[in-house]
């Protein structure tokens, strides 16, 4: 009856209806479909705006997926201004606001939540036995599914920092978790009284001179997890390890060059993290940790090699060596047949991977992002068909993996960079990479070496070659970001470019011969364009002269940012940019009227995305 009454009142009328804070479960989808049908009776131009906390609700209810909009967090200053407006009401008497401001800002800071990494948290869940086996589903994959579910439920928020996604747990959720844990969890902080309840399971300490009495140590015999942060001395570390039945040991930022031998006696240990530490050597005694499943050595910048004994850790599934000084891995590394995650990003000195890497068929993640000293990927990488993360595909000149080995790696997701593309023979070889079948790939970086041929004939060949190779590297239409580096073609406009209807960002860097770029205005969801060091580019190909369609009113409809830097021959920009919010330029351009431009000063080039002043031209 209610739906009939609503339909009677709305029929034939043009309306705007706002449904705020909608909660709908999958089991209730039929009810939403009925309501949606009821609301379809309005006149043309009627709009229903809905807000929801859960991403799953939004996806379920959206008629046009492209119209979904995720609200980002407020900036720190905007958060403070909102808090100030509500907490210090205008006209309020008797309070000295200047005295209360520091407290208010602390409250706002706490509202930012608790920073976390997905991989680390999932590893901790598995090590503590929080994820239960479900048939043949791997525990780490099950943990990731649970984590993703919490994100969809908005209990954990996704944020992007630098090159990696990070996540935030709201402070209220953190407080609730602490409450549920009760006396199982103990947090020790400097300046606060230490009261240790009986049978503590998880201990976190940031006290640098932590020492326990014999009575306290008796209460810690049931410990399963220890988290220590900062300048811990060896005595305070060893004191606990001799009395603990540990599964998780997290030592962040310790200043020791080697781990105490007592650590290697923790035979039940499943998770060991000594990230951001001064560790220089891992002892051969690590072979004693036969239950170890996760080893985290990221940002151990003094660590240059691993002992052969690491390769005897048969249960190891997760190894993080990112941001370390590792130069190579032992050839016996391939004996780690259960290894699923290998993180080596930002290992600038890494030159080679084990030649037998193809035998590690359980690998799901091989992160070698920014390992630019790496000579090539080893042959046979195509056999790692379970790979979901392969951030860098490094081609060799005469040895190593060829681009065709990408052909069957169709589970790859996230970002992929292929370099150097002048090693690819031509169109057919490029096409063998089969990028079009990689439906989960979101970001694609195509990089040539940037070394210019010295002879005119070689340069002419390189121009044709680069254009052909680019034509063969057609990605799936689901791609979100495309970045092209050092391509020497005169026309960088592959036939497939307009099929990328989901593309939100496109970048061209140091393509010095390029005279023509694609008709970017026809990409319906494009929000960001970056053009840097495009010496030969004179204008946007936005008017489609070949098809005689000079009208640009239906182009660049979503473009919000246009960044142009060192394009000396670019003399004009598109005139129709209805949603442009920021335009950055490092050269003088002939800009259309009524366009707001962010002009960057020459001495601010290194911080081009963060500084500048708005100038109305």
């Amino acid at each position: 009856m209610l739906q009939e009454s609503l339909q009677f009142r709305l029929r034939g009328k043009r309306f705007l209806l706002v449904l705020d804070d909608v909660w709908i479960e999958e089991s209730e989808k039929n009810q939403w479909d009925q309501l949606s049908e009821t609301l379809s009776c309005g006149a043309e131009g009627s709009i229903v705006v809905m807000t929801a906390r859960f991403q799953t609700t939004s996806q379920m209810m959206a008629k046009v997926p492209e119209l979904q909009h995720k609200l980002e967090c407020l900036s720190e200053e905007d958060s403070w201004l909102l808090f100030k407006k509500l907490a210090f009401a205008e006209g309020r008497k008797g309070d000295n606001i200047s005295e209360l401001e520091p407290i208010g800002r602390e409250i706002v800071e706490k509202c930012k939540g608790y920073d976390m990494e997905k991989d680390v948290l999932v590893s901790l869940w598995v090590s503590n036995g929080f994820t239960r086996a479900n048939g043949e589903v791997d525990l780490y994959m099950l943990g990731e599914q649970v984590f993703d579910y919490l994100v969809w439920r908005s209990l954990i928020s996704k944020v992007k920092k630098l090159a990696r996604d990070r996540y935030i747990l709201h402070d209220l959720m953190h407080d609730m978790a602490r409450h549920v844990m009760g006396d199982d969890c103990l947090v020790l902080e400097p300046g606060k009284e230490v009261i240790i309840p009986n049978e503590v399971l998880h201990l976190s300490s940031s006290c640098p001179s932590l020492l326990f009495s014999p009575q306290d140590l008796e209460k810690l015999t049931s410990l399963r997890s220890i988290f220590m942060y900062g300048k811990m001395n060896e005595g305070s570390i060893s004191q606990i390890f001799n009395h603990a039945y540990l599964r998780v040991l997290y030592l962040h930022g310790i200043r020791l060059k080697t781990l105490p031998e007592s650590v290697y006696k923790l035979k039940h240990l499943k998770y060991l993290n000594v990230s951001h530490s001064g560790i220089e050597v891992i002892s051969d005694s690590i072979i004693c940790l036969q239950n170890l499943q996760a080893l985290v050595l990221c940002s151990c910048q003094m660590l240059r090699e691993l002992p052969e004994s690491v390769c005897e850790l048969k249960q190891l599934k997760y190894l993080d060596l990112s941001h370390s000084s590792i130069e190579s891995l032992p050839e016996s590394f391939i004996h780690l047949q259960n290894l699923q995650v290998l993180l080596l990003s930002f290992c600038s000195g890494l030159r080679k991977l084990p030649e037998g890497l193809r035998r590690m068929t359980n690998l799901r993640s091989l992160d070698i992002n920014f390992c630019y000293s790496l000579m090539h990927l080893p042959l046979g990488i195509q056999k790692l068909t379970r790979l979901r993360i392969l951030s860098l595909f490094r081609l060799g000149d005469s040895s190593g993996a060829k681009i065709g080995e990408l052909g069957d790696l169709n589970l790859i997701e996230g970002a992929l960079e292929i370099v150097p593309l002048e090693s690819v023979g031509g169109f057919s070889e490029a096409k063998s990479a089969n990028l079009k079948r990689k439906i989960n790939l979101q970001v694609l970086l195509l990089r040539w070496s940037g070394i210019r041929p010295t002879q005119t004939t070689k340069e002419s060949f390189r121009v044709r070659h680069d254009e052909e190779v680019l034509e063969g590297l057609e990605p799936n239409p689901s791609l979100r970001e495309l970045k092209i580096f050092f391509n020497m073609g005169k026309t960088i406009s592959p036939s497939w470019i307009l099929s990328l209807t989901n593309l939100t960002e496109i970048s061209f860097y140091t393509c010095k011969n390029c005279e023509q770029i694609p008709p970017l205005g026809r990409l319906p969801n494009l929000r960001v364009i970056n053009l840097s060091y495009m010496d030969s580019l004179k204008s946007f190909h936005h008017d489609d002269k070949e098809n005689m369609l000079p009208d640009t009113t239906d182009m660049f409809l979503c473009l919000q940012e246009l960044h142009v830097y060192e394009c000396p021959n670019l003399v004009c920009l598109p005139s129709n940019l209805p949603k442009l919010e920021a335009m950055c330029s490092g050269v003088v351009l002939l800009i259309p009227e009524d366009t707001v431009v962010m002009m960057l000063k020459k001495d601010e080039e290194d911080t081009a995305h963060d500084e500048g002043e708005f100038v109305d031209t």
Side-chain angles (χ1 to χ4, degrees):
M1 291 294 293
L2 180 61
Q3 290 188 14
E4 292 177 1
S5 176
L6 179 62
Q7 196 169 47
F8 175 77
R9 292 176 179 275
L10 296 180
R11 190 182 307 278
K13 297 179 181 178
R14 186 179 180 188
F15 61 84
L16 169 64
L17 179 61
V18 179
L19 303 177
D20 187 37
D21 200 14
V22 176
W23 294 57
I24 290 184
E25 300 289 343
E26 183 71 34
S27 59
E28 300 171 318
K29 187 176 185 302
N30 289 337
Q31 298 178 35
W32 162 248
D33 290 339
Q34 293 175 12
L35 178 59
S36 178
E37 181 66 26
T38 300
L39 297 176
S40 64
C41 65
E44 184 177 354
S46 296
I47 297 175
V48 178
V49 178
M50 181 206 73
T51 68
R53 303 185 188 189
F54 302 148
Q55 184 178 345
T56 48
T57 301
S58 174
Q59 292 173 342
M60 190 190 311
M61 299 178 69
K63 292 285 187 180
V64 183
E66 292 76 16
L67 294 181
Q68 294 180 82
H69 178 69
K70 183 179 179 180
L71 292 177
E72 302 297 337
C73 296
L74 292 175
S75 67
E76 185 173 339
E77 187 59 28
D78 286 341
S79 298
W80 161 245
L81 292 175
L82 178 61
F83 179 87
K84 180 180 178 181
K85 180 178 180 180
L86 296 175
F88 307 123
E90 188 175 353
R92 184 172 174 175
K93 298 179 181 180
D95 290 334
N96 188 337
I97 295 178
S98 61
E99 292 180 0
L100 296 175
E101 180 171 338
I103 300 174
R105 287 190 177 273
E106 287 183 13
I107 295 173
V108 170
E109 179 68 22
K110 186 179 180 182
C111 290
K112 291 168 62 176
Y114 292 81
D115 202 12
M116 63 177 66
E117 292 187 47
K118 180 178 180 178
D119 288 344
V120 172
L121 189 59
V122 170
S123 297
L124 289 171
W125 287 346
V126 174
S127 300
N128 277 295
F130 295 155
T131 53
R132 302 295 184 184
N134 183 13
E136 297 182 356
V137 178
D138 176 79
L139 291 180
Y140 280 88
M141 294 187 68
L142 181 61
E144 289 185 354
Q145 292 173 10
V146 172
F147 189 95
D148 290 339
Y149 184 79
L150 294 175
V151 173
W152 294 336
R153 284 290 189 180
S154 299
L155 299 177
I156 296 175
S157 301
K158 182 178 179 179
V159 294
K160 195 163 189 175
K161 290 190 176 181
L162 299 179
R164 300 184 68 176
D165 288 332
R166 295 183 71 87
Y167 298 84
I168 295 292
L169 177 67
H170 194 277
D171 63 304
L172 292 178
M173 287 299 302
H174 179 266
D175 292 345
M176 184 187 73
R178 288 278 299 274
H179 176 74
V180 172
M181 290 293 293
D183 289 341
D184 289 350
C185 184
L186 175 63
V187 178
L188 304 179
E189 298 173 308
K192 294 187 178 181
E193 183 182 4
V194 177
I195 301 177
I196 299 180
N198 293 321
E199 298 183 352
V200 174
L201 296 179
H202 310 284
L203 170 67
S204 173
S205 172
S206 55
C207 303
S209 57
L210 178 68
L211 287 174
F212 293 102
S213 67
Q215 293 79 12
D216 288 338
L217 289 174
E218 285 295 323
K219 298 178 181 179
L220 297 175
T221 54
S222 299
L223 273 179
R224 294 296 182 268
S225 305
I226 293 179
F227 297 81
M228 288 187 168
Y229 302 86
K231 301 178 180 179
M232 298 292 170
N233 59 62
E234 185 170 348
S236 63
I237 295 175
S238 300
Q239 187 188 35
I240 299 180
F241 298 161
N242 291 328
H243 296 80
Y245 191 79
L246 286 179
R247 292 179 179 177
V248 172
L249 178 57
Y250 188 102
L251 303 174
H252 182 276
I254 60 171
R255 297 296 182 260
L256 303 179
K257 294 183 179 180
T258 60
L259 287 172
E261 281 297 313
S262 57
V263 171
Y264 302 115
K265 296 178 182 179
L266 301 171
K267 61 180 182 179
H268 299 288
L269 198 65
K270 293 185 176 182
Y271 178 94
L272 175 59
N273 186 323
V274 288
S275 57
H276 296 271
S277 71
I279 295 294
E280 297 179 2
V281 177
I282 299 295
S283 169
D284 281 328
S285 300
I286 197 171
I287 196 173
C288 299
L289 301 179
Q290 282 299 306
N291 286 304
L292 197 65
Q293 296 180 2
L295 177 58
V296 181
L297 299 165
C298 66
S299 296
C300 294
Q301 297 182 359
M302 304 304 293
L303 184 65
R304 297 187 178 278
E305 61 181 5
L306 291 178
E308 291 277 349
S309 55
V310 167
C311 306
E312 299 299 321
L313 301 176
K314 303 301 184 183
Q315 301 300 318
L316 197 65
K317 297 182 178 181
Y318 182 99
L319 178 58
D320 187 353
L321 295 165
S322 57
H323 292 270
S324 71
S325 297
I326 290 289
E327 297 177 355
S328 64
L329 298 173
E331 284 301 322
S332 57
F333 191 81
I334 63 173
H335 294 157
L336 298 174
Q337 286 296 302
N338 285 312
L339 195 68
Q340 298 176 12
V341 178
L342 177 57
L343 306 180
L344 294 160
S345 62
F346 292 93
C347 290
S348 57
L350 183 68
R351 295 187 56 79
K352 60 174 296 189
L353 294 171
E355 291 300 323
L357 190 69
R358 62 185 180 276
R359 298 190 181 96
M360 303 182 72
T361 53
N362 281 313
L363 268 181
R364 295 186 295 106
S365 178
L366 177 58
D367 188 355
I368 48 177
N369 203 20
F370 295 101
C371 293
Y372 289 131
S373 295
L374 189 65
M375 294 182 289
H376 56 73
L377 286 180
L379 283 169
I381 201 80
Q382 62 188 6
K383 295 184 178 180
L384 304 182
T385 53
R386 295 184 181 181
L387 271 180
R388 293 164 53 195
I389 302 295
L390 179 60
S391 51
L392 175 66
F393 198 93
R394 181 79 182 186
L395 300 165
D397 292 332
S398 56
S399 58
K402 303 298 182 184
I403 197 169
E405 295 207 38
L406 269 173
D408 293 328
L409 305 182
N410 294 322
L411 297 181
I412 292 177
E413 61 188 45
L416 170 65
E417 177 177 358
I418 308 175
V419 62
L421 283 167
E422 62 267 27
S423 299
V424 179
F427 172 81
S428 297
E429 188 176 344
K431 197 171 183 61
S432 69
N434 212 2
L435 297 184
K436 193 173 183 179
R437 290 191 61 188
K438 295 167 182 38
I439 60 175
N440 297 316
L441 196 62
Q442 298 291 297
V443 181
L444 179 62
L445 292 82
L446 302 175
R447 187 188 296 269
W448 283 256
S449 70
I451 301 175
R452 298 178 69 91
T454 54
Q455 301 177 18
T456 305
T457 53
K458 288 185 177 180
E459 181 167 353
S460 177
F461 169 79
R462 174 70 186 275
V463 168
R464 295 194 304 273
H465 171 272
D466 287 9
E467 292 176 356
E468 290 179 6
V469 169
L470 182 60
E471 182 66 33
L473 294 172
E474 179 180 358
N476 188 273
S478 61
L479 194 73
R480 296 283 183 170
E481 297 181 25
L482 175 63
K483 301 180 181 183
I484 299 174
F485 297 80
F486 302 112
N487 184 293
M488 290 187 62
K490 290 187 176 180
T491 300
I492 303 182
S493 187
S495 61
W496 43 260
I497 195 71
L498 294 183
S499 70
L500 305 182
T501 53
N502 290 296
L503 201 69
T504 61
E505 180 173 340
I506 191 167
S507 304
F508 300 89
Y509 297 104
T510 321
C511 302
K512 292 183 176 293
N513 290 342
C514 179
E515 299 175 356
Q516 179 179 313
I517 58 176
L520 303 180
R522 298 188 178 281
L523 294 171
N525 291 297
L526 192 63
R527 289 171 172 80
V528 180
I529 298 175
N530 294 299
L531 301 172
S532 294
Y533 292 99
M534 305 285 285
D535 292 1
S536 303
L537 187 64
K538 295 182 179 179
S539 64
F540 272 67
H541 182 188
H542 68 282
D543 55 354
D544 204 348
K545 294 178 180 178
E546 181 178 342
N547 294 317
M548 300 301 291
L549 293 173
D551 184 9
T552 63
T553 55
D554 62 341
M555 298 184 185
F556 299 105
L557 297 182
C558 292
L559 190 67
Q560 297 173 356
E561 299 180 27
L562 175 58
H563 304 276
V564 180
Y565 181 72
E566 290 295 339
C567 300
N569 291 307
L570 184 60
V571 295
C572 66
L573 297 176
S575 57
N576 181 53
L577 303 173
K579 292 191 176 180
L580 193 68
E581 296 175 358
M583 184 186 298
C584 306
S585 174
V587 296
V588 177
L589 298 172
L590 298 179
I591 307 296
E593 293 183 0
D594 301 323
T595 301
V596 177
V597 184
M598 181 186 289
M599 301 302 294
L600 301 179
K601 300 177 182 178
K602 200 65 177 177
D603 61 351
E604 294 173 332
E605 291 173 358
D606 292 336
T607 55
H609 291 289
D610 298 316
E611 299 182 12
E613 59 181 303
F614 282 99
V615 179
D616 190 357
T617 59

